[in-house]
Amino acid sequence: MRRRVLEYQNAVLRHLAVPGLALLIGLGSALGQSGDTRAQDQSGKPAANSADATKENQRKTDQFVEAAQVINGPAGNPECVWLGRRMVRLMWQDDLDTAFRHLDLYDRFGCPGGHIQATFRCLTRFGAEIDSKVPESLDRHVHACWINPGAQPQAAAAAQPAPPSTAGSAPATSVPAAAPAPAAAPAK
């Protein structure tokens, strides 16, 4: 009796195994042929992406040219601008280990360490205006502070009281004094 039950189980399993295997093979090939619908939807977007990449590269080049024109000395060199802004961004994001590794390279190019300090000091003044959800916000402020480390936020400049004016004369305007330019770090 036991033998008959085992033979019956084996026969049933064989009859179910063949259609089950065919079903699995069919599902696998059907899924393989359907492809990724997202890849088909993006077929017209590579031209737009290349135009965006070209525009982004042009913007970066313009920023390096602007820094070279505005900043006299090594802080305006493209390698100093690139490494320095990167270090300030890393310091803002609390990635100090990576920032200090970049500092060695920054010093090797002969870039002034004082400009990093002044830029980070400037960035801390703009802390309330930096939106962590918008990546360009931090980059824009880092670049603006790199170009002009003495920059002041608009709210702070507007909050300063204007000196009293005398009657009959033009009102005096308050212009915040720029921070003194940092001294270059000694070469090692």
Side-chain angles (χ1 to χ4, degrees):
M1 173 86 173
R2 187 180 223 180
R3 188 181 223 178
R4 281 186 148 183
V5 170
L6 287 177
E7 287 176 6
Y8 179 70
Q9 279 181 335
N10 286 339
V12 169
L13 287 177
R14 273 190 238 128
H15 287 310
L16 291 177
V18 172
L21 184 61
L23 180 66
L24 286 176
I25 291 173
L27 279 175
S29 60
L31 290 175
Q33 287 180 359
S34 68
D36 190 9
T37 58
R38 285 176 276 152
Q40 294 170 356
D41 292 343
Q42 294 177 355
S43 61
K45 292 185 181 179
N49 287 341
S50 65
D52 289 343
T54 303
K55 192 182 298 183
E56 180 69 18
N57 288 337
Q58 183 62 39
R59 184 186 62 81
K60 288 178 182 179
T61 303
D62 292 343
Q63 286 181 346
F64 289 133
V65 169
E66 177 189 10
Q69 290 173 348
V70 173
I71 302 171
N72 294 329
N77 293 345
E79 63 273 13
C80 295
V81 173
W82 188 81
L83 282 168
R85 291 186 320 188
R86 181 176 210 109
M87 285 174 42
V88 171
R89 189 178 316 115
L90 288 168
M91 290 182 342
W92 183 262
Q93 295 169 344
D94 290 333
D95 190 357
L96 299 178
D97 291 334
T98 308
F100 287 137
R101 283 194 302 253
H102 280 72
L103 183 60
D104 292 337
L105 189 58
Y106 184 80
D107 288 338
R108 186 168 294 180
F109 279 114
C111 303
H115 201 81
I116 296 284
Q117 293 169 338
T119 302
F120 190 74
R121 186 178 304 121
C122 171
L123 191 63
T124 58
R125 288 190 291 253
F126 286 96
E129 296 179 13
I130 297 173
D131 186 4
S132 62
K133 296 176 184 171
V134 181
E136 291 89 26
S137 175
L138 176 61
D139 292 338
R140 200 177 21 196
H141 282 89
V142 168
H143 179 70
C145 285
W146 187 265
I147 297 297
N148 182 12
Q152 296 286 332
Q154 293 297 326
Q160 293 178 350
S165 62
T166 58
S169 65
T173 58
S174 172
V175 177
K188 291 183 180 180

